[in-house]
Amino acid sequence: MDIYKPTPLTDEEYAELQIQHQKEREKRLLTYDNTKVEAKLVYYKGTSAAVGTNSYLNKQFADIKKDWNSVIMIGTTRQRCADDTVDNITGSYTLNLTDEMIKEYEANDKKLLII
């Protein structure tokens, strides 16, 4: 019995596949609402880095680990979905928009605001 082994993509095929994925993504983004501004508390699993100094050796060190993080994203659904800053989202909750959040969003030229 032969086991099917797929042949790897050539560079040209891979480039075409990436272009196709990008076109499909742009088409899908056009279906999302771009009029209603919302605030979402987003939980995600990502890397966090901490820098410290060892007081005995007087040297700096960095500690990078996978950790749970959260941010507040203020913007429209289309803006949030188009943003690639936050991956591995595990949950999100809608927050009440405050006047201060709206002012910050407008001060940012109505672009997605990540706090």
Side-chain angles (χ1 to χ4, degrees):
M1 182 169 109
D2 291 334
I3 297 176
Y4 174 72
K5 292 183 182 177
T7 57
L9 296 175
T10 65
D11 290 340
E12 294 83 20
E13 290 172 329
Y14 184 70
E16 286 179 26
L17 189 62
Q18 284 183 318
I19 291 169
Q20 179 185 353
H21 285 191
Q22 184 62 28
K23 286 180 182 177
E24 290 172 359
R25 181 175 187 251
E26 289 171 3
K27 185 178 177 183
R28 187 176 60 249
L29 285 174
L30 292 176
T31 64
Y32 297 140
D33 182 30
N34 200 29
T35 57
K36 185 179 175 188
V37 177
E38 300 173 317
K40 294 273 189 181
L41 173 61
V42 177
Y43 291 99
Y44 65 98
K45 187 167 188 173
T47 55
S48 62
V51 177
T53 303
N54 186 322
S55 59
Y56 295 113
L57 300 174
N58 199 20
K59 290 187 176 182
Q60 284 194 338
F61 65 91
D63 184 21
I64 299 173
K65 61 180 180 174
K66 282 263 190 200
D67 201 5
W68 298 98
N69 299 305
S70 63
V71 294
I72 296 175
M73 300 177 92
I74 302 170
T76 65
T77 303
R78 186 182 299 173
Q79 289 173 329
R80 283 194 322 273
C81 292
D83 185 66
D84 292 333
T85 306
V86 178
D87 289 332
N88 301 323
I89 294 175
T90 58
S92 66
Y93 300 94
T94 303
L95 302 175
N96 293 328
L97 264 175
T98 64
D99 292 334
E100 186 177 334
M101 288 178 178
I102 294 171
K103 286 178 186 175
E104 288 295 323
Y105 177 74
E106 290 173 351
N108 195 36
D109 295 329
K110 296 188 177 184
K111 295 178 184 171
L112 182 67
L113 186 62
I114 299 175
I115 303 172

